């Protein structure tokens, strides 16, 4: 079994992971109220940027 990071380029893997996460958040009765009414695409972009920085930035070492 391969992971997302083995199958996809890093950038695509992060995008797919974050998008999938928010799909689950939006249908979860506990978590959905935290994001309902907010620009979900903006939240997704911010999470993608955060993970890219966290995982691949030399400054985070």
């Amino acid at each position: 079994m391969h992971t997302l990071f083995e199958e996809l380029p890093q950038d695509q893997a992060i995008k797919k992971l974050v998008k999938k996460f928010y799909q689950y958040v939006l249908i979860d009765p506990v978590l959905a109220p935290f994001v309902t009414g907010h620009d979900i695409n903006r939240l997704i972009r911010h999470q993608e940027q955060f993970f890219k920085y966290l995982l691949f930035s030399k400054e985070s070492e």
Side-chain angles (χ1 to χ4, degrees):
M1 184 172 161
H2 296 283
T3 66
L4 277 176
F5 287 104
E6 293 170 334
E7 294 179 13
L8 298 172
Q10 294 169 344
D11 190 54
Q12 286 181 337
I14 289 172
K15 286 182 179 193
K16 189 170 185 173
L17 177 72
V18 171
K19 192 172 235 180
K20 192 63 147 174
F21 169 76
Y22 276 101
Q23 287 174 348
Y24 286 111
V25 167
L26 289 170
I27 62 172
D28 186 279
V30 175
L31 299 176
F34 290 102
V35 296
T36 301
H38 295 281
D39 183 350
I40 197 71
N41 291 319
R42 184 172 184 242
L43 292 172
I44 289 172
R45 282 192 311 272
H46 280 249
Q47 285 295 323
E48 289 171 357
Q49 290 171 353
F50 170 73
F51 279 112
K52 287 178 196 175
Y53 176 80
L54 183 68
L55 296 172
F56 308 118
S57 172
K58 292 185 187 271
E59 293 178 26
S60 65
E61 293 178 350

